[in-house]
Amino acid sequence: MRAHRTALADCKKCPLMIGPVVSGSPVFSPILLIGQAPGDKEGGFGKPFAWTAGKTMFKWFERIGLDEETFRSRVYMAAVCRCFPGKNPKGGDRVPSSDEIGNCTGWLQAEIDLLKPALILPVGKLAISQLIEVNKLNEVVGKVHKVTFHGHQAEAIPLPHPSGASTWHRMEPGITLLESALSLLEAHPAWRQVCEG
């Protein structure tokens, strides 16, 4: 894990990506959370989901038993891409290119090999699409999916992106499907294991 984290922190494969590399705590956890990519504030804080989207997401987790500090210390937080992609001229953050996603895939593969997680939580459509085919969030959120990811079998509970720019989780059917996802997460053995510490 130490060697992996040192190499990850030194990665400079993508010229358009803006460092630093952002990672969660190096914790051996049965749960792997996969975000999309850090925003422009996360690098300064040195941790993923450190700004407004994170506040929303951690409120979801607090409702089912884990506050932010405990979650960060017990769940491994990764992302499809680990550096800030920069701003999109049309607004919002730039979506990473397929090459950039490909460059970061090896880091995720290494983490899957290290952790062998029982449960994966992909957050947002870009992250979900790495594990399962997704046309609409309505079709995948609110269910447990059996997945094989980088050769490892696990269960996945997809979550919508908690971004303020997204209205999906704040209106129906998103509200109900998010509640279903959180109920499934709360009942999952891996979540119970993490809650018990």
Side-chain angles (χ1 to χ4, degrees), residues 77-130:
M77 298 177 73
V80 176
C81 290
R82 309 301 169 94
C83 296
F84 174 51
K87 290 291 185 189
N88 181 334
K90 294 177 181 164
D93 294 348
R94 181 176 70 82
V95 176
S97 70
S98 54
D99 282 352
E100 289 165 337
I101 292 169
N103 285 342
C104 246
T105 294
W107 303 120
L108 213 41
Q109 168 90 60
E111 286 155 352
I112 291 283
D113 292 346
L114 280 165
L115 298 170
K116 298 183 173 42
L119 179 62
I120 301 173
L121 303 177
V123 181
K125 203 168 180 180
L126 181 69
I128 297 166
S129 67
Q130 307 306 303

Side-chain angles (χ1 to χ4, degrees), residues 43-60:
F45 286 101
K47 58 187 180 183
F49 285 102
W51 204 240
T52 48
K55 286 188 177 67
T56 299
M57 184 180 75
F58 288 116
K59 277 184 191 148
W60 298 346

